[in-house]
């Protein structure tokens, strides 16, 4: 193998990564009730930041009204800065670059999580999943402007905490995506209507966050954007919409990060389109912004295939839960010892927080390759083939369909 994934990478901002492996942002549900960082989270990230070139944290809300689930990180108040500083240090002290992912959940929350307040979205339209989703309040003009400022303030906190960048979570059906989607955005004012009008919220957030970066951060600080290529609702975002969106933002962000269950994903809505989405987005982003490919990357050959398929950087998620030393083992050529299954008895030793262990064993049981689960046994090769087949043509739980605790 050529192991191109081990080659360094430099963003246009000048930020240098020691290799092309990115730790995916993964929900841990391990923060305190108010979003403050816990010791469990510090240990979890410290155990996994010795290898990847960049680590993207679990998502942090930009405001209390934007909270999507219990145990969620927060960047919504200056009181969070000390904990976020410890988190950034835990990552960067091991040589990785630290990126804080930020979001507003929008309608993908509920009044219980929001302690009696109603959810918000572009329009008063409930999500199709979960089936008991609440009808959100349509955000007022003032609330939209306040939310844009919330993203800016969260970015300033990330800068003050010592992160190397922020990633706007515009995927998995959260608020940024909700404004772009014709399913959740039925507005008739300047924030809704046609495709260009539905983009205005995301573009306004990018512009405001970029202004904060220019004012408060070093020139190397990066801004990324994560997006989901398609929705399965009707009406909903289709592939040509997302390719158009990527074209519009490619010169305003430092990278574009896809959210997919498989790096071999093809269109969910057009069975006749057999070209992998990774290659289609790569044509749009080439020469403008690096593209992070993701989805069921477990073995070195998966990472190399993703790079050959059009990715500039490769995001690895569940595999870094099972194997925190993945990069180090690839570097040493010790492929045989790379752990691609996980025994529940090993999770504490792997610095996986207790609540995360429960989350993985329930909501993600079918995708974690638990070796002590009778229904999930099989060789790594067999599991890999099944996994790629499953998520090549339909969504995986981690694309916004998992059940939070």
């Amino acid at each position: 193998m050529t192991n191109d994934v081990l080659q360094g990478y430099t963003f246009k901002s000048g930020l240098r990564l020691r290799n092309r492996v990115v730790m995916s942002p993964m929900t841990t549900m391990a923060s305190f009730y108010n979003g403050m960082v816990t010791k469990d989270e510090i240990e979890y990230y410290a155990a996994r930041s010795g290898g990847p070139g960049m680590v993207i944290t679990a998502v942090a809300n930009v405001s209390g009204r934007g909270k999507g689930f219990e145990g969620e990180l927060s960047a919504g108040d200056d009181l969070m800065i000390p904990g976020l500083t410890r988190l950034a240090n835990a990552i960067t002290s091991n040589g990785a670059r630290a990126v804080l992912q930020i979001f507003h959940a929008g309608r993908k929350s509920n009044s219980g999580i929001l302690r009696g307040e109603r959810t918000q979205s572009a329009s008063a339209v409930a999500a199709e999943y979960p089936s008991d989703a609440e009808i959100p309040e349509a955000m007022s003009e003032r609330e939209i402007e306040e939310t844009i400022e919330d993203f800016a303030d969260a970015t300033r906190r990330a800068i003050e905490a010592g992160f190397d960048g922020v990633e706007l979570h515009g995927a998995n059906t959260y608020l940024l995506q909700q404004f772009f989607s014709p399913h959740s955005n039925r507005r008739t004012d300047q924030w809704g209507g046609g495709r260009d009008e539905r983009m205005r919220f995301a573009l306004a957030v990018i512009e405001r966050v970029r202004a904060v970066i220019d004012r408060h951060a070093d020139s190397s600080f990066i801004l990324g954007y994560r997006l989901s290529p398609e929705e399965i609702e009707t009406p909903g975002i289709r592939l040509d919409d997302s390719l158009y969106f990527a074209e519009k933002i490619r010169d305003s962000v430092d990278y574009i990060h896809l959210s997919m269950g498989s790096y071999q994903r093809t269109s969910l809505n057009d069975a006749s389109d057999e070209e992998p989405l990774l290659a289609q987005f790569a044509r749009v982003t080439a020469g403008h912004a690096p593209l992070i490919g993701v989805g069921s990357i477990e073995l070195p050959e998966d990472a190399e295939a993703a790079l050959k398929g059009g990715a500039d950087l490769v995001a690895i998620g569940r595999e870094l839960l099972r194997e925190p030393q993945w990069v180090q083992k690839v570097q040493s050529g010790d492929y045989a010892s790379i752990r691609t299954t996980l025994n529940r008895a090993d999770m504490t030793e792997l610095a996986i927080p207790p609540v995360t262990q429960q989350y993985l064993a329930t909501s993600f049981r079918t995708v974690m390759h638990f070796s002590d689960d009778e229904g999930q046994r099989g060789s790594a090769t067999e599991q890999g083939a099944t996994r790629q087949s499953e998520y090549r043509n339909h969504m995986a739980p981690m694309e916004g369909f998992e059940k939070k605790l």
Side-chain angles (χ1 to χ4, degrees):
M1 288 184 59
T2 59
N3 280 342
D4 290 335
V5 73
L6 299 178
Q7 301 302 311
Y9 186 85
T10 303
F11 290 96
K12 288 182 179 179
S13 71
L15 187 70
R16 175 74 177 171
L17 307 185
R18 60 188 171 190
N19 57 56
R20 297 182 182 231
V21 177
V22 176
M23 179 173 165
S24 294
M26 290 178 284
T27 299
T28 64
M29 304 192 75
S31 299
F32 285 114
Y33 74 96
N34 62 353
M36 285 184 169
V37 177
T38 63
K39 181 181 177 183
D40 284 344
E41 289 174 297
I42 298 296
E43 294 175 349
Y44 163 83
Y45 285 103
R48 288 164 176 80
S49 56
M54 187 165 82
V55 172
I56 306 174
T57 69
V59 73
N61 62 65
V62 299
S63 68
R65 196 77 181 271
K67 184 177 180 179
F69 49 87
E70 304 293 357
E72 180 180 283
L73 272 173
S74 177
D77 192 285
D78 285 355
L79 292 173
M80 305 299 162
I81 294 175
L84 292 173
T85 300
R86 292 193 297 274
L87 178 55
N89 287 340
I91 297 170
T92 59
S93 63
N94 286 323
R97 301 298 188 176
V99 172
L100 182 69
Q101 189 187 65
I102 57 177
F103 89 145
H104 187 299
R107 69 181 186 177
K108 290 290 286 186
S109 186
N110 61 62
S111 55
I113 291 167
L114 299 180
R115 306 301 187 260
E117 290 191 280
R118 283 183 64 185
T119 58
Q120 298 174 303
S121 188
S123 299
V125 179
E128 292 189 9
Y129 180 88
S131 58
D132 60 350
E134 298 174 4
I135 298 175
E137 291 181 346
M139 297 174 74
S140 68
E141 177 82 25
R142 177 182 58 80
E143 289 171 329
I144 291 172
E145 296 291 348
E146 287 175 350
T147 301
I148 293 169
E149 198 60 32
D150 288 338
F151 275 96
D153 288 340
T155 300
R156 173 185 55 78
R157 295 178 187 116
I159 293 168
E160 292 184 16
F163 283 90
D164 298 295
V166 293
E167 178 176 283
L168 301 176
H169 194 355
N172 299 359
T173 75
Y174 294 122
L175 186 67
L176 284 164
Q177 181 174 329
Q178 289 165 31
F179 265 86
F180 187 51
S181 171
H183 184 279
S184 43
N185 188 344
R186 314 286 177 94
R187 301 178 74 97
T188 57
D189 61 5
Q190 64 169 322
W191 302 103
R195 184 163 64 179
D196 286 310
E197 289 73 28
R198 296 195 310 273
M199 285 185 63
R200 282 181 175 156
F201 179 68
L203 294 178
V205 170
I206 291 171
E207 181 180 15
R208 186 70 185 94
V209 166
R210 178 61 74 186
V212 170
I213 293 171
D214 291 344
R215 180 176 179 182
H216 295 284
D218 293 337
S219 60
S220 62
F221 193 92
I222 58 174
L223 169 59
Y225 197 99
R226 194 171 204 200
L227 62 85
S228 295
E230 295 176 284
E231 292 179 337
I232 55 177
E233 297 89 349
T234 301
I237 295 171
R238 297 299 181 254
L239 179 57
D240 65 311
D241 296 319
S242 291
L243 291 170
Y244 180 78
F245 185 93
E247 182 179 358
K248 290 295 183 181
I249 69 168
R250 64 188 182 185
D251 294 316
S252 302
V253 298
D254 293 289
Y255 69 81
I256 292 175
H257 184 185
L258 301 180
S259 179
M260 305 185 295
S262 170
Y263 69 91
Q264 298 179 6
R265 167 73 55 80
T266 55
S267 177
L268 298 173
N269 293 291
D270 182 1
S272 67
D273 184 356
E274 299 181 351
E275 183 181 20
L277 304 189
L278 192 57
Q280 298 191 49
F281 277 92
R283 283 199 297 273
V284 172
T285 60
H288 296 271
L291 180 66
I292 301 182
V294 69
S296 300
I297 295 171
E298 298 179 358
L299 301 172
E301 48 264 42
D302 293 325
E304 294 297 319
L307 290 176
K308 288 181 172 60
D312 299 287
L313 302 167
V314 174
I316 300 177
R318 287 163 292 143
E319 180 57 21
L320 281 172
L321 296 176
R322 295 183 286 257
E323 182 53 85
Q325 303 298 311
W326 191 92
V327 173
Q328 294 91 324
K329 290 183 177 182
V330 173
Q331 286 174 327
S332 66
D334 188 13
Y335 302 161
S337 73
I338 293 175
R339 186 186 338 224
T340 58
T341 61
L342 178 64
N343 191 292
R344 288 172 175 82
D346 294 332
M347 289 201 281
T348 298
E349 180 185 346
L350 292 170
I352 298 174
V355 67
T356 312
Q357 295 182 28
Q358 182 184 358
Y359 185 42
L360 296 176
T362 53
S363 298
F364 284 91
R365 172 179 166 267
T366 60
V367 297
M368 283 306 301
H369 306 340
F370 283 116
S371 60
D372 55 334
D373 188 334
E374 187 105 14
Q376 300 298 311
R377 287 177 185 166
S379 70
T381 300
E382 290 170 338
Q383 291 181 353
T386 300
R387 162 253 308 170
Q388 288 298 351
S389 173
E390 284 179 346
Y391 303 131
R392 187 179 300 169
N393 302 115
H394 72 261
M395 288 186 173
M398 47 281 191
E399 294 180 72
F401 291 87
E402 81 280 11
K403 180 177 175 59
K404 299 291 196 296
L405 298 179

